[in-house]
Amino acid sequence: MTIRDRGKAKWNPAAFLPEYTKMLRELDRDYYRQQKPIIDEFQYEEFDQRICYAMEFNFAVKITKWVDGFNYEIVGRVHYVDTIKKEVRLKTETDEVERVRMAEIISVEVLE
């Protein structure tokens, strides 16, 4: 005879404890986290060239950034590259300005 385990469902009666539900949410979130990919200087140089190319010819770019274990994609046109703050400012299709730090960028794709 096999044992049927109900998993997290057996703890549902204790859902009235806010600390417990917060812990379960964090546990689910931690399950899907990814490690930051290792990017060398040559890849950063390639990202820089793609960003400059897209800025020069006013092409849209898709930048993938890594924040706290998760990847986020931003599509927009390069508005400004701030070398002092080390960030790229993108103007999205909704005319909002998104700021992406250079250290967060893991890939850049030019959309022609």
Side-chain angles (χ1 to χ4, degrees):
M1 176 174 273
T2 60
I3 298 175
R4 280 188 42 215
D5 186 21
R6 297 181 296 152
K8 287 189 270 183
K10 63 185 166 193
W11 298 103
N12 276 343
F16 60 89
L17 299 171
E19 299 88 13
Y20 175 74
T21 54
K22 180 182 174 187
M23 182 187 69
L24 279 180
R25 270 191 237 116
E26 288 176 3
L27 212 147
D28 283 341
R29 185 172 167 90
D30 286 343
Y31 180 76
Y32 293 105
R33 283 185 200 261
Q34 300 173 355
Q35 287 188 347
K36 184 174 182 181
I38 299 171
I39 299 173
D40 61 356
E41 291 182 34
F42 298 110
Q43 288 175 321
Y44 279 122
E45 186 68 31
E46 187 177 333
F47 296 163
D48 186 40
Q49 289 176 355
R50 288 180 185 175
I51 289 170
C52 290
Y53 175 76
M55 189 169 153
E56 182 178 351
F57 295 106
N58 199 24
F59 289 139
V61 294
K62 179 170 70 170
I63 293 180
T64 306
K65 68 177 187 174
W66 181 90
V67 179
D68 197 29
F70 296 97
N71 296 339
Y72 300 99
E73 291 182 350
I74 301 172
V75 178
R77 300 191 185 278
V78 179
H79 179 65
Y80 183 71
V81 178
D82 193 350
T83 56
I84 296 171
K85 292 184 180 178
K86 296 183 180 175
E87 67 182 14
V88 177
R89 295 181 192 157
L90 296 174
K91 194 170 228 181
T92 61
E93 294 179 6
T94 58
D95 287 336
E96 295 179 6
V97 177
E98 290 277 339
R99 296 175 182 222
V100 181
R101 292 187 5 226
M102 297 281 197
E104 295 175 343
I105 295 176
I106 58 172
S107 75
V108 176
E109 181 181 341
V110 178
L111 306 173
E112 296 183 24

